[in-house]
Amino acid sequence: MTSITRQIIGSHLLAGAEITGEAIQLRPDQVLLQDTNGPMSFLQLEALGSPRLRVPRVVAYVDHNVQQVDCRNSDDHRYLETASARYGAIVSKAGNGICHQVHLETFSVPGEVLVGTDSHTVLCGAVGMLAFGAGSMEVAVAMGTGAYWLAMPRIVRIWLTGSLRPWVTAKDVVLELLRRFSVHGGRGKVFEFDGPGVAALTVPQRATIANMGAELGLTTTVFPSDAVTRAYFELLGREAEWRPVRAGADAAYDETIELDLSSIGVLVALPSSPDRVVPIEEAVGTPLDQVIVGSCTNGSWEDMYTVARIMRGKQVHPALSAVLFPGSRRVMEAMAREGLTADLLTAGIQIAGASCGACPGLSHVPASGTRSLRTFNRNFPGRSGTRDDAVYLCSPAVAAASAIAGAIADPRELGAPPDVVPPGSLRSSPAGLVHNAAPGAASGEPTAPAIRGPHMQPVPIGQAPEDELIVHVVLKVADNISTDHISPVGVEALLLRTNIPAIAAHSFKYLDPTFATRAKAHPNNAIVAGAHYGQGSSRETAASGLMVLGVRVILARSFARIHQANLVNWGIVPLQLEPPAGYDALEQGDELQITGLRGLLASGKPLTVVNLRTGAAIDVACALSPRERDIVLAGGVLAQARAAVAHAVQTAADS
Ligand code: F3S
């Protein structure tokens, strides 16, 4: 028996060879959509002309914009819900919880493949699923064709030994991995967890670690499905859906990394990157204005229980505000039944509804120049909704200790940690879930049309690249630019996720407020970037928004996986600087001449770009699969689909 990753890939492989780096096509069992990227995915599915879903289970979640501060949010939700009704998808309504937490609790099945319009879809790897985050377009294609493409990952076994010391949590484990490997250490890899230390981790702890595989830049993360997983499914009332998934004793891996859980300390990530990890001792005493617990990383029963027990009989320090977002309605129901809610309220914690809440900058936006401590997964600049934010990341235990102290505090000062006691049950009422019937199976006829709001715009179509192109370098940026930099979130931007021309005006607004205006002044633009360009969220507007601003190529030292796929799907050419030192030969404002671009794309051979200011010749490569090269040559997925339809119509007319 081989690794878990190879077992699941092997049982879902539709095309391609299991050779590291080669394109493979998998058959997804499930698709997850959330409310900021999901409506666009359905719009793209409609634009592709797909009559029905070709994935057995599709679940659409309303979890980000649950406050519906503007009718454009409500219109997007109505579209998501009516499109789900049209196609036969399940809807998880506002208040039901964060997509990843609800999906883990309600729909996860060990051994299956899940694709979602959110980078943290990887969380379901906690129960032995192979779960991938992807852009809206890739998910639309998966829904319409029943197939999902990716590069065969390098499989790394993380061999866990030992057990966690008191007050050290799963969040510290994944922060330790980020400290060692950084936000781009996982590119092209799966981290498959194994070893005697795994049995000491509960499923919610595994979920915290799996979730932040997205921050490591991993293709995905996966744990075995074992006796611990089975006990979790029993607690959920889903024991019939549990299956064992484990690696063979003689399974081969590309690499093995050992991690002794007992060697890990209590950690925090400093502003403003999840890999700026230090021992808590280096941050203790940092005054705070805000503490927030929750998100898809730390929204479980165990997280809520830990905070409630630490806060019992204590008070939130008057210098700060403390807010808690449970991950799901199911968790909230258990909190109410087991008395946690009263302890938290008495301590002065604000309990918000089960949602993403403050994580994408939609509420509890910090005041300028203040410090916020959060149990979230990301602290990229501006993600909180404040341009000059200072967000620290930590475990729920550190958050609770700090909420009492008014400053970053080491929970080990509190004495013995609370023993986390599971609730009597994590069964949930079916409230908040709408199961829609599939449309007429044979004919594919829809039941009723999806309702579009007046602000929703047609999906723009990309432009096929010319062979000869002169592009203006409209922006040069450094390493580790995230999709939060490129297409910032926040209340204003999240009203516009189904209006790409409008959201494009927000591109790079914190990093470079005049970017969009400058880009509009040139017909053909380029961006020059450092390493790991496009890390973070799977947010597709970071590609589609730039496309409508005339960005044709991006020259970077390297690209993050999901974002590179998004660029291709929107017809933006990702060119890798070879050698990466070519970055230094380019400046903002340069004009670049690209000759033979289509030939490069068709052949995959290296190309030389000429800087018309200096005359310097800069080598670039385009490391894409044959399928991706075809897509970018066509100008993106929709342009390719449109051309295919036109060809079919012409062929029919000619015959
Ligand atoms: Fe939501 Fe934040 Fe997770 S926006 S899906 S809680 S990363």
Side-chain angles (χ1 to χ4, degrees):
M1 204 169 10
T2 181
S3 63
I4 294 171
T5 307
R6 283 194 181 273
Q7 286 173 46
I8 302 177
I9 286 176
S11 61
H12 291 78
L13 192 65
L14 294 172
E18 295 176 52
I19 300 168
T20 305
E22 296 286 307
I24 55 171
Q25 189 187 43
L26 300 183
R27 172 183 52 77
D29 302 292
Q30 306 188 13
V31 158
L32 171 161
L33 307 166
Q34 39 90 314
D35 60 338
T36 64
N37 298 326
M40 180 53 67
S41 216
F42 269 134
L43 284 171
Q44 290 160 340
L45 186 70
E46 292 193 302
L48 288 167
S50 297
R52 64 185 176 89
L53 300 175
R54 296 185 189 276
V55 173
R57 175 180 278 168
V58 176
V59 190
Y61 292 89
V62 178
D63 60 350
H64 286 61
N65 287 313
V66 298
Q67 305 289 347
Q68 300 180 330
V69 296
D70 184 289
C71 69
R72 284 170 287 184
N73 290 148
S74 327
D75 285 347
D76 281 357
H77 292 160
R78 180 178 57 181
Y79 174 71
L80 189 68
E81 295 184 16
T82 55
S84 296
R86 169 186 169 175
Y87 283 105
I90 300 167
V91 175
S92 176
K93 294 175 81 73
N96 211 39
I98 306 170
C99 55
H100 310 302
Q101 181 75 25
V102 178
H103 208 86
L104 177 81
E105 294 169 344
T106 312
F107 299 109
S108 64
V109 177
E112 292 200 345
V113 169
L114 167 69
V115 181
T117 60
D118 190 287
S119 57
H120 292 105
T121 302
V122 293
L123 178 143
C124 279
V127 293
M129 293 188 87
L130 222 47
F132 304 99
S136 307
M137 186 82 83
E138 286 185 281
V139 174
V141 171
M143 289 195 294
T145 64
Y148 170 63
W149 286 95
L150 74 158
M152 177 69 194
R154 185 175 162 79
I155 305 169
V156 179
R157 179 171 65 168
I158 306 294
W159 186 256
L160 298 181
T161 60
S163 56
L164 297 173
R165 288 186 281 164
W167 291 108
V168 179
T169 69
K171 186 62 162 282
D172 300 303
V173 175
V174 74
L175 289 177
E176 172 64 15
L177 291 171
L178 277 154
R179 188 187 70 78
R180 292 189 190 191
F181 302 116
S182 85
V183 288
H184 43 84
R187 182 176 162 78
K189 300 174 184 171
V190 171
F191 274 9
E192 180 173 319
F193 290 83
D194 201 352
V198 168
L201 297 174
T202 64
V203 168
Q205 288 175 321
R206 297 175 191 185
T208 295
I209 296 168
N211 175 279
M212 288 187 70
E215 278 58 53
L216 283 157
L218 290 161
T219 299
T220 193
T221 40
V222 66
F223 280 83
S225 171
D226 55 10
V228 173
T229 320
R230 181 177 202 158
Y232 182 67
F233 272 66
E234 285 169 1
L235 196 62
L236 295 167
R238 298 182 58 221
E239 53 270 35
E241 291 169 85
W242 175 81
R243 301 173 199 164
V245 178
R246 63 183 168 83
D250 56 348
Y253 294 87
D254 295 307
E255 184 182 350
T256 292
I257 294 167
E258 293 196 22
L259 182 61
D260 178 1
L261 295 172
S262 59
S263 71
I264 299 170
V266 179
L267 302 169
V268 293
L270 304 176
S272 292
S273 181
D275 60 359
R276 291 196 67 216
V277 176
V278 297
I280 193 168
E281 291 85 345
E282 292 183 25
V284 162
T286 304
L288 296 170
D289 305 89
Q290 186 184 63
V291 171
I292 307 185
V293 175
S295 88
C296 55
T297 312
N298 283 116
S300 70
W301 160 264
E302 294 186 11
D303 297 324
M304 303 299 118
Y305 185 92
T306 299
V307 174
R309 283 296 167 265
I310 294 172
M311 297 305 300
R312 180 182 262 179
K314 307 275 191 343
Q315 292 281 299
V316 170
H317 193 283
L320 55 76
S321 64
V323 191
L324 181 136
F325 291 91
S328 68
R329 181 199 303 276
R330 191 189 289 257
V331 168
M332 287 190 90
E333 287 175 14
M335 288 168 66
R337 283 196 303 268
E338 306 276 342
L340 268 58
T341 307
D343 284 346
L344 290 161
L345 291 173
T346 306
I349 300 238
Q350 293 182 59
I351 302 179
S355 73
C356 297
C359 181
L362 292 174
S363 63
H364 303 282
V365 176
S368 311
T370 60
R371 295 185 191 88
S372 178
L373 179 72
R374 301 174 168 206
T375 67
F376 300 171
N377 41 40
R378 289 189 176 139
N379 59 347
F380 298 128
R383 180 172 174 87
S384 67
T386 300
R387 179 177 182 162
D388 60 343
D389 60 9
V391 174
Y392 297 72
L393 305 178
C394 70
S395 70
V398 170
S402 304
I404 295 166
I408 294 181
D410 190 336
R412 291 171 293 196
E413 301 295 322
L414 297 175
D419 277 335
V420 177
V421 178
S425 166
L426 265 178
R427 290 171 188 268
S428 172
S429 79
L433 287 176
V434 180
H435 292 264
N436 292 298
S443 64
E445 280 302 308
T447 49
I451 302 172
R452 299 187 184 200
H455 74 290
M456 294 170 74
Q457 292 295 310
V459 185
I461 306 289
Q463 183 180 345
E466 300 85 348
D467 205 38
E468 307 286 330
L469 196 59
I470 292 183
V471 289
H472 172 78
V473 178
V474 65
L475 182 68
K476 182 178 180 182
V477 290
D479 291 346
N480 295 327
I481 291 297
S482 74
T483 49
D484 279 315
H485 290 100
I486 305 168
S487 183
V489 283
V491 176
E492 208 183 342
L494 285 177
L495 295 174
L496 305 171
R497 293 301 273 268
T498 49
N499 184 339
I500 293 172
I503 203 169
H506 292 257
S507 303
F508 288 109
K509 69 177 179 185
Y510 292 138
L511 198 68
D512 182 349
T514 65
F515 169 80
T517 307
R518 293 201 316 275
K520 284 179 190 163
H522 298 272
N524 297 314
N525 290 301
I527 291 174
V528 174
H532 203 43
Y533 177 78
Q535 66 165 325
S537 166
S538 62
R539 195 170 310 145
E540 202 172 66
T541 50
S544 56
L546 297 191
M547 184 198 80
V548 300
L549 291 174
V551 175
R552 310 293 304 279
V553 300
I554 294 179
L555 302 99
R557 285 180 158 142
S558 65
F559 294 88
R561 178 186 72 91
I562 299 175
H563 187 62
Q564 175 168 307
N566 287 340
L567 293 174
V568 168
N569 288 336
W570 287 92
I572 298 176
V573 185
L575 295 176
Q576 200 161 321
L577 293 159
E578 297 279 352
Y583 174 86
D584 299 325
L586 297 167
E587 295 299 336
Q588 193 165 306
D590 285 350
E591 302 286 319
L592 308 181
Q593 185 171 36
I594 308 176
T595 304
L597 179 58
R598 292 188 68 82
L600 160 76
L601 291 171
S603 67
K605 290 185 181 149
L607 184 88
T608 299
V609 170
V610 176
N611 186 338
L612 295 178
R613 175 178 61 87
T614 63
I618 298 138
D619 292 334
V620 295
C622 192
L624 301 177
S625 69
R627 171 186 159 269
E628 289 173 317
R629 289 202 289 268
D630 286 346
I631 291 172
V632 88
L633 275 166
V637 167
L638 286 180
Q640 187 186 45
R642 178 182 272 195
V645 169
H647 178 73
V649 169
Q650 188 61 47
T651 304
D654 292 345
S655 61

